[in-house]
Amino acid sequence: MKIFDTHTHLNDPTFSGNTQQYIDNAKELDVDEMAIIGSNEEFNIEAIRLAQNYQPLHAVVGWHPEFAKEYNEEQLVNQIKLPEVVGIGEIGLDYHWEEDPEPKIQKQVLIQQLDVAQQYNMPVSIHCRDAFDDMYEILKNHDMSKSGIIMHSFNGDVEWLNKFLDLGLWISYSGVVSFKNAPEVHESAKETPLDRLLVETDAPYLTPEPYRGHTNQPAYTRYVVDAIAKYKGITPSEVAEHTFNNAHQVYNL
Ligand SMILES: [Zn+2]
């Protein structure tokens, strides 16, 4: 079985100096390939450096809503031309934290990055927290059918799932799907068609059961696969196979 972690932050200082160790840990649990996701200038550069130095890693670069004011379009356009860069992300809207830039600025920078993605046919990894309504309106008005949109760590209910599926999105689940107190996410995972499904860790965040409370790492994508298999009533290898192939399709690998 082969698993693809479509959204992880091995470029986070939590893991620095131990990249090979975390890749080896992942391999032991059949996690063979990963997309390293940037969020600002520093993390984007580190994602690219890792992808250039470690074979199973690919880089995704972009400006997270928290860093919207630092957005540098010239840098983004130059970086996505590198062969190691397979997508733009994480980009999006986050209305949870009061200290983040105001929604108007977040939306503007999201749209600017979607325009770049559209122009260069790059898939995007979307971060969306407490902002489904605005996100839906923006994505609805952007034809991304040639590039592809991943809703990272989807935590919505089946109604939102269906709205985003209708827009042609890929739906990626993180460790949240393994949490006992997330019945809506269990139901959404069950209802997500196998040909739109992706898995991720978002490490070092969102550690799945049975390691909730500890630092997350890419290896634990395995437990996300196990949880989804349980809710779908299929085998982990079926979930792994579909999500691995889907990841290759969306990231053009
Ligand atoms: Zn992330």
Side-chain angles (χ1 to χ4, degrees):
M1 149 157 96
K2 275 181 167 189
I3 297 170
F4 197 125
D5 184 355
T6 61
H7 187 117
T8 190
H9 303 285
L10 273 187
N11 49 347
D12 189 279
T14 310
F15 304 115
S16 63
N18 298 307
T19 307
Q20 190 58 53
Q21 182 62 55
Y22 285 105
I23 292 172
D24 293 345
N25 294 353
K27 242 194 155 33
E28 258 174 56
L29 289 179
D30 299 318
V31 179
D32 286 306
E33 223 169 321
M34 332 169 185
I36 310 302
I37 311 288
S39 49
N40 61 23
E41 178 171 346
E42 187 190 339
F43 279 72
N44 291 339
I45 289 170
E46 181 64 2
I48 292 168
R49 190 189 70 80
L50 292 177
Q52 286 171 336
N53 286 285
Y54 298 90
Q55 185 271 328
L57 310 185
H58 311 279
V60 172
V61 296
W63 275 258
H64 186 284
E66 184 187 344
F67 304 105
K69 287 180 181 163
E70 299 165 23
Y71 177 53
N72 182 335
E73 186 150 312
E74 198 189 331
Q75 203 172 75
L76 179 68
V77 169
N78 285 330
Q79 288 176 335
I80 60 176
K81 290 174 183 162
L82 298 169
E84 298 81 15
V85 176
V86 297
I88 295 178
E90 54 187 296
I91 62 175
L93 302 174
D94 194 324
Y95 297 168
H96 188 75
W97 307 102
E98 240 165 58
E99 59 271 31
D100 277 0
E102 55 181 300
K104 194 178 136 222
I105 294 170
Q106 292 192 27
K107 284 194 234 177
Q108 193 187 320
V109 171
L110 167 63
I111 290 167
Q112 285 174 300
Q113 293 181 92
L114 287 173
D115 288 342
V116 172
Q118 208 171 26
Q119 194 184 339
Y120 290 90
N121 284 334
M122 294 294 275
V124 296
S125 184
I126 295 283
H127 172 102
C128 185
R129 190 161 186 200
D130 299 344
F132 276 156
D133 286 292
D134 282 359
M135 182 60 73
Y136 181 79
E137 283 310 309
I138 289 171
L139 295 179
K140 198 177 69 175
N141 294 313
H142 253 86
D143 180 14
M144 297 285 291
S145 49
K146 286 211 195 80
S147 33
I149 307 170
I150 301 167
M151 183 58 82
H152 128 72
S153 188
F154 181 69
N155 58 9
D157 60 15
V158 172
E159 199 179 324
W160 276 113
L161 170 73
N162 287 327
K163 290 184 81 164
F164 287 125
L165 284 172
D166 285 345
L167 295 183
L169 268 63
W170 300 87
I171 309 294
S172 182
Y173 291 94
S174 67
V176 175
V177 75
S178 73
F179 296 172
K180 289 178 189 74
N181 57 351
E184 288 178 351
V185 186
H186 304 162
E187 189 61 23
S188 291
K190 189 180 153 207
E191 296 298 326
T192 304
L194 279 173
D195 64 356
R196 305 310 297 172
L197 184 68
L198 295 167
V199 287
E200 63 170 277
T201 52
D202 201 22
Y205 312 106
L206 305 177
T207 312
E209 296 287 359
Y211 292 106
R212 196 173 178 184
H214 296 83
T215 304
N216 203 0
Q217 56 172 296
Y220 296 167
T221 321
R222 174 56 193 266
Y223 303 111
V224 176
V225 166
D226 288 350
I228 294 175
K230 189 176 83 183
Y231 298 120
K232 279 192 159 309
I234 59 179
T235 63
S237 38
E238 281 175 275
V239 173
E241 189 190 332
H242 283 274
T243 54
F244 190 87
N245 291 337
N246 292 343
H248 273 242
Q249 195 184 329
V250 67
Y251 285 134
N252 295 304
L253 297 168

